[in-house]
Amino acid sequence: MWLPPLTRHISPGLIVLLAVCVAGVGTACGKESQAPSDPFVELGYMRANQAYHLAKAYTPRDEVDARAVRLAMGLALMNYQPRTDDTIRRALVEFEALIAHGGDDEAAITARFFTARIWQMHAEPVDLRRARALYVALAKDHPGHRLAQYAWVKVGTMDLYLDHGPDAKTRIRRVEGYLDKLSDPAVRRSLRHVLGQACQVLIDDPARALIHYEAALADGLAKDNLLADVMLRAAECARRVGDSGKARGYLNTYLERYPRSHASQLAREILASLP
């Protein structure tokens, strides 16, 4: 479990939520809590409204318990439906309180990450400069923490697609430098995926993209949706650089694992067209 529980009330359901929110970093481990009234279980099932009301009704036993509940409140408010400027503002209030009074515990680190995410995606208006600064500060303050390392993936994505200063090749080289900051294999795989896509989209360099995709595959991709995407992209890049054998290998593996996927027919057509 990559986010240790703050109390027994924080279940692996939180890990599921964070895995969804950060686009593939990690997977839930262990058994789910059996408590039907656990707000983190509700968050794990993306039932934010139920989670909010459970957390609001819960009476904390101590300060650590109170911080766990406050974290649940903030995460629930981020996803509360209907989402409004007020629910996002209230989520920020919860996160900022955790950051101001919690030092470096898991609640504070998680709150810092999602504060940055709010400014990146949910605030009205968004403030990408502020979001980037918050991600960088978190990453530098806690270089070994998985969420803090994943902040580099967020920074890298913004630097690749929103930085209009240097040319695309220079931006890619700069973001490739972030790989050295990542000791967590799951986070490194995510950045490799981002870089591979950038090499395809921004500079149309299938050979360079293939390097990143093959590194991600060698590192081990646990999430099926990410694995499937990388295998198809690696096959296309291999085909374009003239390595039909490698392309065929990726496509055959893809079809063995995902024979009824939405892209399986396309994969078969590409396979049949290879020399």
Side-chain angles (χ1 to χ4, degrees):
M1 183 181 300
W2 60 265
L3 182 60
L6 299 176
T7 71
R8 61 184 173 278
H9 301 288
I10 298 185
S11 74
L14 176 57
I15 312 306
V16 177
L17 175 73
L18 296 179
V20 171
C21 287
V22 298
V25 179
T27 55
C29 299
K31 297 180 179 179
E32 287 187 353
S33 167
Q34 298 302 307
S37 58
D38 186 337
F40 287 95
V41 171
E42 297 300 318
L43 285 169
Y45 287 110
M46 301 307 293
R47 295 193 288 254
N49 291 35
Q50 293 93 320
Y52 171 78
H53 292 296
L54 284 171
K56 187 176 180 181
Y58 183 77
T59 302
R61 304 179 187 183
D62 53 34
E63 178 59 24
V64 176
D65 216 17
R67 289 178 63 74
V69 173
R70 176 155 255 171
L71 179 61
M73 292 275 284
L75 291 169
L77 285 164
M78 271 187 72
N79 297 280
Y80 197 90
Q81 298 299 319
R83 181 178 291 162
T84 65
D85 291 346
D86 182 62
T87 59
I88 296 302
R89 179 190 60 78
R90 289 163 59 199
L92 274 175
V93 168
E94 299 294 346
F95 292 151
E96 288 168 355
L98 288 168
I99 295 165
H101 303 294
D104 296 332
D105 68 1
E106 290 288 340
I109 291 171
T110 307
R112 288 179 68 179
F113 181 89
F114 282 98
T115 295
R117 185 174 175 85
I118 283 175
W119 287 111
Q120 179 191 3
M121 299 184 64
H122 301 302
E124 185 56 50
V126 297
D127 189 336
L128 298 178
R129 186 182 298 274
R130 183 173 186 175
R132 187 186 187 282
L134 290 170
Y135 281 132
V136 169
L138 173 61
K140 290 182 176 179
D141 288 346
H142 302 281
H145 192 283
R146 179 176 268 187
L147 269 184
Q149 288 198 12
Y150 194 75
W152 285 118
V153 180
K154 296 297 187 181
V155 171
T157 303
M158 287 190 281
D159 288 352
L160 286 168
Y161 293 100
L162 301 175
D163 187 337
H164 302 295
D167 60 81
K169 287 184 178 180
T170 301
R171 299 201 304 272
I172 288 172
R173 282 197 300 271
R174 182 170 67 189
V175 175
E176 284 174 336
Y178 297 164
L179 289 165
D180 294 336
K181 303 176 185 296
L182 307 180
S183 60
D184 189 289
V187 183
R188 195 166 54 243
R189 291 191 293 267
S190 292
L191 187 55
R192 289 284 193 185
H193 186 214
V194 169
L195 281 164
Q197 290 176 302
C199 289
Q200 286 185 286
V201 172
L202 298 179
I203 60 175
D204 191 26
D205 188 339
R208 192 166 179 174
L210 186 58
I211 291 171
H212 289 296
Y213 292 142
E214 290 188 322
L217 290 167
D219 226 357
L221 289 156
K223 288 176 68 68
D224 272 337
N225 60 338
L226 185 58
L227 175 60
D229 184 66
V230 171
M231 279 197 294
L232 286 177
R233 289 178 178 275
E236 172 60 14
C237 290
R239 183 192 68 79
R240 288 193 60 200
V241 300
D243 193 334
S244 296
K246 187 174 286 187
R248 188 176 291 107
Y250 286 131
L251 290 169
N252 281 327
T253 302
Y254 177 85
L255 289 170
E256 288 172 6
R257 291 187 64 114
Y258 312 107
R260 291 182 292 278
S261 74
H262 69 281
S264 59
Q265 183 56 40
L266 176 61
R268 291 187 183 91
E269 292 172 2
I270 296 172
L271 190 60
S273 72
L274 291 173

